[in-house]
Amino acid sequence: MAKVVIIGAGFAGHTAALYLGDALGEDHEITVVNKGTEFCYLPSLIWLGVGRMAPEKLVFPLAPVYERFGVRFVQGQVTEIHPADDYVVVRPVGEEATRRLDYDHLIVATGPHLDYAGTPGLGPDGGHTESVCWIDHATRCRDAYLERVERMEKGERIRFVIGSGHPMATCQGAAFEYLANVHHDLLRRKLRDRADLEWLSNEDAPGDFGVGGVQVKRRGRVVGSDTFMQAVFEDFGVTARSGCGVLGVDEKRIHWEDLDGVEGDTRYDFAMLIPRFLGPRIRWVGKEGEDLASRVVNPGGFVLVDAFYGLPYDRLVDTPEAWPATYQSPNFRNVFAPGIAFAPPGPISRPHVTPGGRQITATAPRTGMVSATIGRLVAMNVIGLVREGKMKHQARMTEMFAACVASVSDSLWSGSAVSVVVMPVVPNHMRYPKSGGRDPLSTHLESGLAGAWMKYTIHKTMLHKMKGRFGWKIIPE
Amino acid sequence: MTTTRGQRFLSAFKPYQLWRFLVMNVKILRGVDRSKRLPAFRVKYKVSYVVPGGEMPSVIANTSKPHQAGDVIRLLDRDVEVIEVRQMMRPRNQFTFLEAICRPVEGK
Ligand SMILES: Cc1cc2nc3c(=O)[nH]c(=O)nc-3n(C[C@H](O)[C@H](O)[C@H](O)COP(=O)(O)OP(=O)(O)OC[C@H]3O[C@@H](n4cnc5c(N)ncnc54)[C@H](O)[C@@H]3O)c2cc1C
């Protein structure tokens, strides 16, 4: 009987658990360890952040789903991984003592560590800014937002600043979506004229989204996501400031440096800034109790997998095979890292260094769709290893598709959304040399009501899939 | 670029948006299908191995993985260490052209 341990029940880990449970649940021991008891559908947190969706609509309990799939569930936090001895140390919630869990295959799907501490004054816990990256943070963000709305109703003018909170932050799509929803919610409340909305981001141009931007052909013209987003910002009446790495936040101002090395600050009354993402805060311990981190994770804590690390950017863009295919640790072959937990070989967007030597770059996003696709791939390979002793599948982000639908409101009648569909996520200049590395037939950039329908459809179908309900397997990740 | 009146009208005009919704679905399903089924795209590296100093003649060979500095490889019956890899020209289709500067590994 094989033992598979999955750390984390987000998009990557939960998807892997469903496929593994479905294939091996009856005869083998599949265990999921997750900090919380519920699955949270993170892409819809932006609606929670403006008070347009109740938190309970975004979550469902994991245990009943796992029971149906023959998967064991432990609510707790993994504190140590012993990859040379094949076990993890778990601190179950509500228990003082730690527990040891042995494995034959380990899937590290912990998502990001939200590094608010990386920017002084950032974040909801002890800092001055809000965040929509996790459900309790988004709930706090909603309360802070509604408090500003109340002040505006009394006649006050409020300055909202939304974007990225670190020179190396990612997830600009989520921040933009939040900005769009704030804009729309204020319009709906007839308060938009009392608000100044500002976009502050570390992307070198608006619409880069950490994937180097997108180009599409529309009515015979090539439109880039930078021009497209500029038009959207103009339409929304938003002041956009790109290429800014946030260095710190105090009670009134956000301090930043731009790509030219010029330092400045922005006043705010409400700020929602996405922090830098780091890898999981878990100790990697060797046989003698030594620290194995340098063999398993990169300096940011992301798990090293089968990528080619260290290539200069100009070579990386021409080396699609540098991106990992199996997400397997090269030093510990029974350890896999799908989703945000794996270390990408470099950024997708061109990196920038200021004259003073500070790196300001929108780092590579690993979106929900990508994370779930990799989760499924890793599960299929582990199933192959358990049944036949070999892995049969591979998928690189240079061949993988992603969609980011940034809704402007949740209404199916009058809503709208900016839809960005990219194939592949990481431009593959060798396969698509004439279209900026992207498949021109699948890549899509558009704003309109259809996007709001798409967002709603994805929300409903993904939750249906994640609950493991009828037909879950045919719904694409 | 600014959003024109026509574009604004179309972005909320429901019959047109239904059409766009269908187009988007087709694109998404096409992307999903391609990312699920595509055989991995194999890049071929044509590498010119150069050992400065004239000790060994240059060798040109194909590999499926690009070398990195520090790799030790067997070249004409000798072990050499790659000390630098340069891209000689922009890749064409599946081919990437590299030059690997190597030095013989001591004692071999
Ligand atoms: C506001 C917002 C909007 C977004 N919009 C989109 C979108 O439109 N489209 C899209 O594709 N993606 C979107 N994303 C991104 C998407 O949500 C992430 O890419 C995805 O959640 C990553 O999945 P993951 O499984 O790697 O990590 P996560 O979903 O973060 O899951 C990690 C899990 O591991 C658990 N965990 C961590 N450490 C431990 C430990 N030590 N022990 C036990 N458990 C642990 C965590 O509690 C968590 O449950 C959005 C994200 C946000 C925040």
mmCIF file of all heavy atoms in Angstrom, chain B residues 36-68:
data_model
loop_
_atom_site.group_PDB
_atom_site.id
_atom_site.type_symbol
_atom_site.label_atom_id
_atom_site.label_comp_id
_atom_site.label_asym_id
_atom_site.label_seq_id
_atom_site.Cartn_x
_atom_site.Cartn_y
_atom_site.Cartn_z
ATOM 1 N N LYS B 36 -3.902 20.270 -22.725
ATOM 2 C CA LYS B 36 -4.044 18.908 -22.196
ATOM 3 C C LYS B 36 -3.397 17.880 -23.111
ATOM 4 O O LYS B 36 -2.863 16.900 -22.668
ATOM 5 C CB LYS B 36 -5.526 18.551 -22.042
ATOM 6 C CG LYS B 36 -6.094 18.998 -20.715
ATOM 7 C CD LYS B 36 -7.416 18.338 -20.454
ATOM 8 C CE LYS B 36 -7.900 18.705 -19.075
ATOM 9 N NZ LYS B 36 -9.195 18.181 -18.759
ATOM 10 N N ARG B 37 -3.504 18.113 -24.425
ATOM 11 C CA ARG B 37 -3.109 17.051 -25.344
ATOM 12 C C ARG B 37 -1.788 17.262 -26.072
ATOM 13 O O ARG B 37 -1.244 16.337 -26.639
ATOM 14 C CB ARG B 37 -4.186 16.879 -26.418
ATOM 15 C CG ARG B 37 -5.424 16.231 -25.870
ATOM 16 C CD ARG B 37 -6.471 16.167 -26.960
ATOM 17 N NE ARG B 37 -7.765 16.437 -26.404
ATOM 18 C CZ ARG B 37 -8.490 15.543 -25.766
ATOM 19 N NH1 ARG B 37 -8.042 14.335 -25.610
ATOM 20 N NH2 ARG B 37 -9.655 15.857 -25.270
ATOM 21 N N LEU B 38 -1.314 18.493 -26.112
ATOM 22 C CA LEU B 38 -0.130 18.766 -26.922
ATOM 23 C C LEU B 38 1.048 17.896 -26.528
ATOM 24 O O LEU B 38 1.391 17.827 -25.362
ATOM 25 C CB LEU B 38 0.308 20.213 -26.690
ATOM 26 C CG LEU B 38 -0.126 21.246 -27.683
ATOM 27 C CD1 LEU B 38 0.547 22.555 -27.352
ATOM 28 C CD2 LEU B 38 0.262 20.828 -29.079
ATOM 29 N N PRO B 39 1.663 17.230 -27.494
ATOM 30 C CA PRO B 39 2.917 16.559 -27.141
ATOM 31 C C PRO B 39 3.957 17.625 -26.828
ATOM 32 O O PRO B 39 3.917 18.715 -27.399
ATOM 33 C CB PRO B 39 3.275 15.793 -28.416
ATOM 34 C CG PRO B 39 2.544 16.476 -29.509
ATOM 35 C CD PRO B 39 1.333 17.120 -28.911
ATOM 36 N N ALA B 40 4.834 17.332 -25.908
ATOM 37 C CA ALA B 40 5.822 18.344 -25.512
ATOM 38 C C ALA B 40 6.602 18.817 -26.730
ATOM 39 O O ALA B 40 6.930 18.030 -27.609
ATOM 40 C CB ALA B 40 6.761 17.751 -24.488
ATOM 41 N N PHE B 41 6.820 20.093 -26.783
ATOM 42 C CA PHE B 41 7.550 20.693 -27.906
ATOM 43 C C PHE B 41 9.041 20.465 -27.662
ATOM 44 O O PHE B 41 9.590 20.932 -26.676
ATOM 45 C CB PHE B 41 7.228 22.181 -27.932
ATOM 46 C CG PHE B 41 7.844 22.917 -29.067
ATOM 47 C CD1 PHE B 41 7.398 22.697 -30.353
ATOM 48 C CD2 PHE B 41 8.838 23.839 -28.842
ATOM 49 C CE1 PHE B 41 7.944 23.402 -31.403
ATOM 50 C CE2 PHE B 41 9.385 24.542 -29.885
ATOM 51 C CZ PHE B 41 8.939 24.321 -31.171
ATOM 52 N N ARG B 42 9.685 19.696 -28.507
ATOM 53 C CA ARG B 42 11.089 19.346 -28.280
ATOM 54 C C ARG B 42 12.007 20.361 -28.970
ATOM 55 O O ARG B 42 11.925 20.549 -30.175
ATOM 56 C CB ARG B 42 11.391 17.966 -28.837
ATOM 57 C CG ARG B 42 10.602 16.887 -28.184
ATOM 58 C CD ARG B 42 11.485 15.979 -27.338
ATOM 59 N NE ARG B 42 10.639 15.118 -26.527
ATOM 60 C CZ ARG B 42 10.347 15.342 -25.254
ATOM 61 N NH1 ARG B 42 10.867 16.374 -24.619
ATOM 62 N NH2 ARG B 42 9.563 14.525 -24.588
ATOM 63 N N VAL B 43 12.855 20.968 -28.206
ATOM 64 C CA VAL B 43 13.811 21.906 -28.781
ATOM 65 C C VAL B 43 15.106 21.156 -29.048
ATOM 66 O O VAL B 43 15.518 20.330 -28.236
ATOM 67 C CB VAL B 43 14.073 23.062 -27.793
ATOM 68 C CG1 VAL B 43 15.060 24.045 -28.390
ATOM 69 C CG2 VAL B 43 12.781 23.770 -27.458
ATOM 70 N N LYS B 44 15.706 21.419 -30.198
ATOM 71 C CA LYS B 44 16.987 20.755 -30.495
ATOM 72 C C LYS B 44 18.092 21.788 -30.357
ATOM 73 O O LYS B 44 17.977 22.884 -30.907
ATOM 74 C CB LYS B 44 16.959 20.187 -31.915
ATOM 75 C CG LYS B 44 15.975 19.028 -32.005
ATOM 76 C CD LYS B 44 15.879 18.506 -33.415
ATOM 77 C CE LYS B 44 14.748 17.484 -33.479
ATOM 78 N NZ LYS B 44 14.052 17.521 -34.731
ATOM 79 N N TYR B 45 19.122 21.436 -29.647
ATOM 80 C CA TYR B 45 20.244 22.350 -29.449
ATOM 81 C C TYR B 45 21.411 21.883 -30.305
ATOM 82 O O TYR B 45 21.900 20.769 -30.142
ATOM 83 C CB TYR B 45 20.640 22.375 -27.971
ATOM 84 C CG TYR B 45 19.524 22.908 -27.109
ATOM 85 C CD1 TYR B 45 18.558 22.059 -26.577
ATOM 86 C CD2 TYR B 45 19.406 24.271 -26.883
ATOM 87 C CE1 TYR B 45 17.506 22.551 -25.833
ATOM 88 C CE2 TYR B 45 18.344 24.768 -26.138
ATOM 89 C CZ TYR B 45 17.402 23.904 -25.613
ATOM 90 O OH TYR B 45 16.356 24.395 -24.879
ATOM 91 N N LYS B 46 21.822 22.751 -31.219
ATOM 92 C CA LYS B 46 23.007 22.457 -32.023
ATOM 93 C C LYS B 46 24.150 23.165 -31.314
ATOM 94 O O LYS B 46 24.159 24.393 -31.222
ATOM 95 C CB LYS B 46 22.849 23.060 -33.429
ATOM 96 C CG LYS B 46 22.354 22.045 -34.430
ATOM 97 C CD LYS B 46 22.602 22.522 -35.840
ATOM 98 C CE LYS B 46 22.137 21.513 -36.855
ATOM 99 N NZ LYS B 46 22.631 20.161 -36.658
ATOM 100 N N VAL B 47 25.077 22.388 -30.782
ATOM 101 C CA VAL B 47 26.113 22.992 -29.950
ATOM 102 C C VAL B 47 27.482 22.837 -30.606
ATOM 103 O O VAL B 47 27.847 21.741 -31.045
ATOM 104 C CB VAL B 47 26.149 22.344 -28.545
ATOM 105 C CG1 VAL B 47 27.063 23.136 -27.617
ATOM 106 C CG2 VAL B 47 24.758 22.235 -27.961
ATOM 107 N N SER B 48 28.179 23.963 -30.661
ATOM 108 C CA SER B 48 29.559 23.913 -31.126
ATOM 109 C C SER B 48 30.447 23.958 -29.880
ATOM 110 O O SER B 48 30.443 24.931 -29.138
ATOM 111 C CB SER B 48 29.788 25.117 -32.043
ATOM 112 O OG SER B 48 31.138 25.414 -32.071
ATOM 113 N N TYR B 49 31.163 22.859 -29.623
ATOM 114 C CA TYR B 49 32.021 22.781 -28.434
ATOM 115 C C TYR B 49 33.413 23.280 -28.803
ATOM 116 O O TYR B 49 34.013 22.800 -29.760
ATOM 117 C CB TYR B 49 32.124 21.340 -27.942
ATOM 118 C CG TYR B 49 30.788 20.776 -27.523
ATOM 119 C CD1 TYR B 49 30.004 20.064 -28.430
ATOM 120 C CD2 TYR B 49 30.316 20.952 -26.231
ATOM 121 C CE1 TYR B 49 28.775 19.551 -28.066
ATOM 122 C CE2 TYR B 49 29.080 20.442 -25.854
ATOM 123 C CZ TYR B 49 28.318 19.742 -26.773
ATOM 124 O OH TYR B 49 27.105 19.234 -26.406
ATOM 125 N N VAL B 50 33.877 24.254 -28.053
ATOM 126 C CA VAL B 50 35.188 24.840 -28.348
ATOM 127 C C VAL B 50 36.071 24.706 -27.111
ATOM 128 O O VAL B 50 35.668 25.098 -26.009
ATOM 129 C CB VAL B 50 35.048 26.337 -28.726
ATOM 130 C CG1 VAL B 50 36.404 26.952 -29.005
ATOM 131 C CG2 VAL B 50 34.130 26.487 -29.923
ATOM 132 N N VAL B 51 37.262 24.130 -27.304
ATOM 133 C CA VAL B 51 38.223 24.066 -26.192
ATOM 134 C C VAL B 51 39.365 25.000 -26.565
ATOM 135 O O VAL B 51 40.176 24.678 -27.447
ATOM 136 C CB VAL B 51 38.728 22.624 -25.969
ATOM 137 C CG1 VAL B 51 39.670 22.567 -24.765
ATOM 138 C CG2 VAL B 51 37.564 21.682 -25.800
ATOM 139 N N PRO B 52 39.465 26.202 -25.976
ATOM 140 C CA PRO B 52 40.503 27.154 -26.369
ATOM 141 C C PRO B 52 41.901 26.582 -26.121
ATOM 142 O O PRO B 52 42.080 25.747 -25.238
ATOM 143 C CB PRO B 52 40.240 28.366 -25.477
ATOM 144 C CG PRO B 52 38.866 28.186 -24.933
ATOM 145 C CD PRO B 52 38.623 26.724 -24.882
ATOM 146 N N GLY B 53 42.845 27.051 -26.904
ATOM 147 C CA GLY B 53 44.222 26.602 -26.710
ATOM 148 C C GLY B 53 44.642 25.591 -27.746
ATOM 149 O O GLY B 53 45.799 25.167 -27.781
ATOM 150 N N GLY B 54 43.711 25.190 -28.611
ATOM 151 C CA GLY B 54 44.053 24.295 -29.705
ATOM 152 C C GLY B 54 44.368 22.863 -29.290
ATOM 153 O O GLY B 54 44.845 22.065 -30.087
ATOM 154 N N GLU B 55 44.091 22.529 -27.997
ATOM 155 C CA GLU B 55 44.380 21.169 -27.531
ATOM 156 C C GLU B 55 43.501 20.133 -28.216
ATOM 157 O O GLU B 55 43.915 19.022 -28.475
ATOM 158 C CB GLU B 55 44.094 21.099 -26.028
ATOM 159 C CG GLU B 55 45.316 20.938 -25.177
ATOM 160 C CD GLU B 55 44.903 20.812 -23.729
ATOM 161 O OE1 GLU B 55 44.635 19.677 -23.312
ATOM 162 O OE2 GLU B 55 44.816 21.849 -23.044
ATOM 163 N N MET B 56 42.244 20.549 -28.437
ATOM 164 C CA MET B 56 41.281 19.618 -29.040
ATOM 165 C C MET B 56 40.562 20.330 -30.179
ATOM 166 O O MET B 56 40.308 21.528 -30.085
ATOM 167 C CB MET B 56 40.226 19.206 -27.996
ATOM 168 C CG MET B 56 40.750 18.299 -26.915
ATOM 169 S SD MET B 56 39.497 18.119 -25.639
ATOM 170 C CE MET B 56 38.321 17.063 -26.422
ATOM 171 N N PRO B 57 40.203 19.611 -31.240
ATOM 172 C CA PRO B 57 39.444 20.268 -32.318
ATOM 173 C C PRO B 57 38.011 20.575 -31.872
ATOM 174 O O PRO B 57 37.515 19.934 -30.946
ATOM 175 C CB PRO B 57 39.448 19.219 -33.427
ATOM 176 C CG PRO B 57 39.658 17.926 -32.732
ATOM 177 C CD PRO B 57 40.455 18.200 -31.500
ATOM 178 N N SER B 58 37.382 21.555 -32.528
ATOM 179 C CA SER B 58 35.988 21.876 -32.195
ATOM 180 C C SER B 58 35.077 20.737 -32.653
ATOM 181 O O SER B 58 35.380 20.048 -33.628
ATOM 182 C CB SER B 58 35.557 23.149 -32.888
ATOM 183 O OG SER B 58 36.308 24.204 -32.389
ATOM 184 N N VAL B 59 34.002 20.579 -31.956
ATOM 185 C CA VAL B 59 33.052 19.504 -32.284
ATOM 186 C C VAL B 59 31.669 20.135 -32.363
ATOM 187 O O VAL B 59 31.335 20.996 -31.545
ATOM 188 C CB VAL B 59 33.055 18.442 -31.158
ATOM 189 C CG1 VAL B 59 31.985 17.391 -31.407
ATOM 190 C CG2 VAL B 59 34.419 17.794 -31.030
ATOM 191 N N ILE B 60 30.870 19.726 -33.336
ATOM 192 C CA ILE B 60 29.477 20.196 -33.380
ATOM 193 C C ILE B 60 28.577 18.982 -33.151
ATOM 194 O O ILE B 60 28.787 17.925 -33.747
ATOM 195 C CB ILE B 60 29.143 20.864 -34.724
ATOM 196 C CG1 ILE B 60 29.969 22.141 -34.857
ATOM 197 C CG2 ILE B 60 27.647 21.175 -34.819
ATOM 198 C CD1 ILE B 60 29.709 22.938 -36.107
ATOM 199 N N ALA B 61 27.644 19.121 -32.237
ATOM 200 C CA ALA B 61 26.751 17.986 -31.953
ATOM 201 C C ALA B 61 25.359 18.489 -31.602
ATOM 202 O O ALA B 61 25.192 19.667 -31.252
ATOM 203 C CB ALA B 61 27.322 17.165 -30.802
ATOM 204 N N ASN B 62 24.373 17.623 -31.688
ATOM 205 C CA ASN B 62 22.996 17.959 -31.285
ATOM 206 C C ASN B 62 22.728 17.410 -29.892
ATOM 207 O O ASN B 62 23.152 16.307 -29.575
ATOM 208 C CB ASN B 62 21.986 17.316 -32.240
ATOM 209 C CG ASN B 62 22.054 17.933 -33.610
ATOM 210 O OD1 ASN B 62 22.345 19.121 -33.748
ATOM 211 N ND2 ASN B 62 21.809 17.135 -34.627
ATOM 212 N N THR B 63 22.031 18.185 -29.074
ATOM 213 C CA THR B 63 21.608 17.644 -27.775
ATOM 214 C C THR B 63 20.147 18.052 -27.566
ATOM 215 O O THR B 63 19.640 18.939 -28.256
ATOM 216 C CB THR B 63 22.418 18.213 -26.585
ATOM 217 O OG1 THR B 63 22.049 19.570 -26.409
ATOM 218 C CG2 THR B 63 23.904 18.082 -26.770
ATOM 219 N N SER B 64 19.526 17.423 -26.600
ATOM 220 C CA SER B 64 18.131 17.789 -26.337
ATOM 221 C C SER B 64 18.024 18.705 -25.131
ATOM 222 O O SER B 64 16.958 19.205 -24.818
ATOM 223 C CB SER B 64 17.291 16.539 -26.120
ATOM 224 O OG SER B 64 17.847 15.800 -25.071
ATOM 225 N N LYS B 65 19.134 18.894 -24.414
ATOM 226 C CA LYS B 65 19.114 19.781 -23.251
ATOM 227 C C LYS B 65 20.236 20.794 -23.395
ATOM 228 O O LYS B 65 21.349 20.404 -23.759
ATOM 229 C CB LYS B 65 19.376 18.992 -21.970
ATOM 230 C CG LYS B 65 18.167 18.296 -21.412
ATOM 231 C CD LYS B 65 18.508 17.754 -20.045
ATOM 232 C CE LYS B 65 17.299 17.077 -19.432
ATOM 233 N NZ LYS B 65 17.575 16.581 -18.099
ATOM 234 N N PRO B 66 20.003 22.066 -23.092
ATOM 235 C CA PRO B 66 21.104 23.016 -23.186
ATOM 236 C C PRO B 66 22.084 22.779 -22.041
ATOM 237 O O PRO B 66 21.672 22.423 -20.940
ATOM 238 C CB PRO B 66 20.407 24.375 -23.032
ATOM 239 C CG PRO B 66 19.179 24.085 -22.278
ATOM 240 C CD PRO B 66 18.769 22.696 -22.618
ATOM 241 N N HIS B 67 23.357 22.933 -22.313
ATOM 242 C CA HIS B 67 24.334 22.774 -21.238
ATOM 243 C C HIS B 67 24.335 24.005 -20.363
ATOM 244 O O HIS B 67 23.951 25.094 -20.787
ATOM 245 C CB HIS B 67 25.729 22.582 -21.831
ATOM 246 C CG HIS B 67 25.848 21.308 -22.593
ATOM 247 N ND1 HIS B 67 25.691 20.076 -22.008
ATOM 248 C CD2 HIS B 67 26.092 21.064 -23.904
ATOM 249 C CE1 HIS B 67 25.832 19.136 -22.917
ATOM 250 N NE2 HIS B 67 26.063 19.711 -24.087
ATOM 251 N N GLN B 68 24.830 23.812 -19.158
ATOM 252 C CA GLN B 68 25.016 24.944 -18.259
ATOM 253 C C GLN B 68 26.457 24.910 -17.785
ATOM 254 O O GLN B 68 27.074 23.835 -17.756
ATOM 255 C CB GLN B 68 24.088 24.832 -17.060
ATOM 256 C CG GLN B 68 22.662 25.160 -17.411
ATOM 257 C CD GLN B 68 21.780 25.189 -16.187
ATOM 258 O OE1 GLN B 68 21.158 24.202 -15.864
ATOM 259 N NE2 GLN B 68 21.742 26.304 -15.501
#
